[in-house]
Amino acid sequence: ARQVEIELTAEHWEILNLMRAFYKRRGLSPVMRVLVMLVEKELGPDKGNSLYLLKLFPESPARVASRIAGLPRPANCV
């Protein structure tokens, strides 16, 4: 997180833990569309949208969050 200048908060950890659980079940890091749906399902519509995720993990939420979570890069991220 320091490398990308993100100070982790409880909101960041909610997303990181969801992504780790998804990876444990599926063996894949969630791509952005799946991440948004996962967050919406688990944390509600206020957090389950791309704008919220962009505030937490700028530029590419799925890629940046996967990196911080220690997961492989999502399949469609360049």
Side-chain angles (χ1 to χ4, degrees):
R2 283 188 204 125
Q3 290 177 347
V4 290
E5 299 177 1
I6 294 176
E7 187 172 330
L8 297 178
T9 64
E11 289 80 14
H12 289 94
W13 282 109
E14 284 181 320
I15 306 302
L16 297 173
N17 289 329
L18 282 176
M19 292 182 74
R20 287 176 175 167
F22 181 89
Y23 182 81
K24 188 174 181 180
R25 283 192 312 272
R26 302 284 174 106
L28 299 168
S29 297
V31 295
M32 185 62 180
R33 181 177 223 162
V34 173
L35 179 58
V36 170
M37 290 188 296
L38 175 66
V39 172
E40 183 178 17
K41 179 182 173 190
E42 297 294 326
L43 303 176
D46 291 341
K47 295 182 179 182
N49 63 71
S50 57
L51 293 177
Y52 177 78
L53 294 172
L54 278 165
K55 287 179 191 174
L56 295 176
F57 304 100
E59 295 182 35
S60 177
R63 182 176 47 84
V64 173
S66 290
R67 182 175 174 196
I68 293 171
L71 304 175
R73 180 180 284 207
N76 72 342
C77 289
V78 180

